[in-house]
Amino acid sequence: MGNLSIVTIVIIAANVIISYKGFNDFGFFEKYKFQVGPVQRGEQIRMFSSGFLHADTQHLLFNMVSLYFFADVVISNLSSIQFLLVYLGSLMVGSLLSFYFHKNEYHYSAVGASGAVSGIIYSAILLQPGMSLYMFFIPIPIPAYLFGIGYLLYSIYGMKNRIGNIGHDAHFGGAIGGYVITLLLSPWLFETNLLMIVLLALPIALLFVLKKLGKI
């Protein structure tokens, strides 16, 4: 983890340039952020453009550092083009899930690459479920698949309880995008990592069961 390919550099540069444009141009930020009302009026570009805007420098830095650490796992197991498909596809699925959960909230808005980055993280975990991850507040390595499951369970909890000013649904949608697109691009995973595929699908199934039951 942690190597920089050309495609990763381009994505990070695009996020930095567009985000700083938004920091300094309120009209630009308002025009391209995700917001339910304008999307319903036909401004679907916001579902894509919002993924390159950020609320502040800390928000931008967190997403880009996370991308930096996981991008190379996806690129080395797939390809640069397929990595780009996972990134952009996850961005859109994250926006679609946000729209689905907030379609009756006219003024709901969101920005950030979190959905796309979540897709890359979940893709990396699916491709390398046995890798170990280190968290700042936990002094021991965590198996990637346990982190992935815990991450989505926390996202469900965050969605249910509206925790913080965080787009938990975009995170979850991005992870779904990363999961599905990676499996479409790498069907060989069904032969080598079937158990992990099933385990990583459990939080996704749980979300839709809870939605069906009206619990979220």
Side-chain angles (χ1 to χ4, degrees):
M1 291 191 294
N3 293 326
L4 270 176
S5 71
I6 293 298
V7 68
T8 308
I9 292 171
V10 169
I11 288 175
I12 291 174
N15 273 277
V16 170
I17 292 168
I18 296 170
S19 291
Y20 271 88
K21 170 67 173 174
F23 295 160
N24 297 299
D25 186 338
F26 181 75
F28 178 86
F29 184 88
E30 289 294 305
K31 182 177 180 180
Y32 291 109
K33 71 180 182 180
F34 174 85
Q35 188 169 13
V36 171
V39 170
Q40 289 177 333
R41 293 197 303 268
E43 297 179 29
Q44 280 83 16
I45 185 64
R46 291 171 178 263
M47 301 183 77
F48 177 78
S49 59
S50 59
F52 292 89
L53 292 169
H54 288 81
D56 52 39
T57 302
Q58 183 178 359
H59 185 205
L60 172 64
L61 182 63
F62 180 81
N63 277 333
M64 294 304 99
V65 169
S66 300
L67 177 64
Y68 165 76
F69 280 113
F70 288 94
D72 189 59
V73 177
V74 179
I75 292 170
S76 62
N77 282 274
L78 299 177
S79 70
S80 293
I81 295 299
Q82 290 176 327
F83 164 81
L84 192 59
L85 288 173
V86 174
Y87 184 90
L88 296 178
S90 298
L91 189 164
M92 289 305 300
V93 176
S95 291
L96 286 168
L97 195 69
S98 286
F99 185 80
Y100 174 68
F101 274 94
H102 298 282
K103 59 182 178 291
N104 296 321
E105 301 172 50
Y106 186 86
H107 295 290
Y108 178 84
S109 64
V111 294
S114 300
V117 174
S118 293
I120 294 300
I121 292 173
Y122 221 66
S123 176
I125 291 170
L126 192 58
L127 291 163
Q128 295 285 337
M131 65 180 174
S132 296
L133 305 177
Y134 290 84
M135 309 298 292
F136 291 116
F137 47 87
I138 301 176
I140 58 174
I142 303 171
Y145 72 93
L146 288 181
F147 172 83
I149 293 169
Y151 177 72
L152 289 195
L153 290 176
Y154 175 74
S155 293
I156 292 174
Y157 178 75
M159 293 164 68
K160 183 176 176 60
N161 295 282
R162 300 286 182 116
I163 295 176
N165 188 28
I166 300 171
H168 296 285
D169 32 43
H171 294 185
F172 203 105
I176 293 174
Y179 178 86
V180 172
I181 296 168
T182 300
L183 289 178
L184 290 174
L185 295 174
S186 308
W188 51 266
L189 288 170
F190 287 99
E191 297 180 8
T192 60
N193 287 332
L194 183 58
L195 176 60
M196 292 303 168
I197 290 172
V198 173
L199 289 175
L200 290 168
L202 293 178
I204 297 173
L206 176 62
L207 173 70
F208 288 102
V209 169
L210 291 173
K211 180 64 175 175
K212 182 76 172 178
L213 295 174
K215 302 293 185 180
I216 192 169

